[in-house]
Amino acid sequence: MSSSKKIQDTENTNEWINWIEEKKIVTKNDITENTQFSNKQEFDETTLKINNNSELQELSQYIQYFDKINIKEVDPITVSIKQEKLLSEKGFEIIVDEANDLIFKLLNKGIEWQLLEEQVIDYFNNHNINLQEIYNWSLYNQNISNSIFLLGYFNYRGIETSVNTERAFNLFVNASEKDHILAQYFAGNCYEFGNGTTKNEKLAFKYFEKSANKNFSLGQSEIGYFYEHGISIKKNLKKAFYWYEKAANNGNILAMHNLGKCYLNGDGVKKDCYKAFELFKKSAEGSNSRGITMLGYCYETGIGTEIDKQKAFELYQKSANLGEMVARYNLGIMYEFGKGITKDIDRAIYWYKKSAKRGCKHAQNRLEILQKN
């Protein structure tokens, strides 16, 4: 928000109300009279559809988030100036479109979320675009599906605002209804983990399927994961393999890792260690941390290649530095038992702790054993 004076008392609140009246923005009751709601949903400005009133259609973007904005954080003069500025700079729409394209491209590749976020922020910085301005522009242009999604993404990841998964979820659903592929995937993600809404794996599958049917590879990989583990649907390893292969053929490095595991374990396909190795290698070359870990495992145990414990150690180290839980555990094992490297219990404990913090129960067990001795 701007560092200008905040509204903190009744007098300034009245200024805000007067400002709205000057701009001819109607009240919530006026809107309700001109709006049709389905399923008896609670009033939600992000899903308003204004009918039979051209003036309301023109001004609706200014009031879509009125109830959701903390009035103590709003300076009417500053908001007015910013609205006029942002709405006049048509270049912002191009930037928002390009940001959507970038997110689509990176997720379609299967890039991990933290790296995705870093590259999105770098994109704006490289174009000398202030993130707060982009956030505000998206906020005041909620008639465009790309800006609806981007605002949802900012709220989901806490970019230029506090994390607000409920608002993000509503925005994703809104944009998905406009056939926005990324929004469909993110809505599925919200339902899968109960972020901003009640956890509902059946609806998660439904939204992932929408994006998968439009050839979005990350959605295809998710469908494969649901079939592999029998989440909300009957477990079917052949269908899991089918969707992983489809996503991998579309260049998704996460799906390559998942497909490699299918070949490694003979899940839904005939076991083939050489194909598993090649898929893990491709996934690793794309910088997928799980693919790097599994490639290290192949070198450590001789799956589809000759044993090379030094190479395995280097790959585990690379993946562990990216935060991968299993790689950290594997490093702990190598240090504890001196597999291919000099035995070092202190380093083993260090990596077990790192892995345990990410939830690895095996690492927690090894820590308990070592700390008793």
Side-chain angles (χ1 to χ4, degrees), residues 329 333 336-337 352 362-370:
Y329 169 75
I333 290 289
E336 182 182 359
F337 298 100
Y352 285 148
H362 293 299
Q364 292 169 2
N365 293 336
R366 294 310 307 167
L367 270 176
E368 289 178 8
I369 293 172
L370 291 177

Side-chain angles (χ1 to χ4, degrees), residues 104-127:
F104 186 95
K105 177 182 177 181
L106 293 175
L107 286 181
N108 213 36
K109 182 183 176 184
I111 194 168
E112 291 165 271
W113 282 41
Q114 185 57 45
L115 186 57
L116 166 68
E117 185 174 316
E118 292 171 2
Q119 292 197 33
V120 169
I121 292 174
D122 284 345
Y123 168 79
F124 289 122
N125 290 337
N126 291 338
H127 286 76

Side-chain angles (χ1 to χ4, degrees), residues 221-325:
S221 185
E222 287 283 0
I223 293 296
Y225 183 80
F226 272 53
Y227 274 118
E228 180 185 359
H229 297 279
I231 301 173
S232 79
I233 51 175
K234 186 177 180 179
K235 185 175 180 177
N236 189 321
L237 295 180
K238 287 187 176 180
K239 285 189 176 181
F241 175 83
Y242 168 82
W243 283 106
Y244 285 149
E245 185 176 47
K246 197 173 184 66
N249 289 340
N250 282 330
N252 191 288
I253 56 177
L254 174 60
M256 292 174 190
H257 160 270
N258 294 339
L259 190 64
K261 288 184 69 177
C262 288
Y263 277 111
L264 177 64
N265 300 318
D267 291 338
V269 67
K270 184 178 179 180
K271 186 173 181 176
D272 190 327
C273 291
Y274 295 101
K275 283 188 177 181
F277 174 81
E278 289 302 322
L279 284 161
F280 292 142
K281 184 178 179 182
K282 286 182 180 180
S283 180
E285 289 171 348
S287 298
N288 180 265
S289 63
R290 296 179 188 178
I292 297 170
T293 299
M294 287 307 299
L295 184 63
Y297 181 72
C298 287
Y299 278 112
E300 183 185 2
T301 56
I303 295 174
T305 187
E306 294 182 0
I307 291 177
D308 187 337
K309 292 190 182 294
Q310 182 59 40
K311 183 71 173 177
F313 174 80
E314 292 172 359
L315 288 164
Y316 289 153
Q317 185 78 58
K318 182 178 180 180
S319 184
N321 289 336
L322 292 172
E324 214 280 315
M325 178 183 72

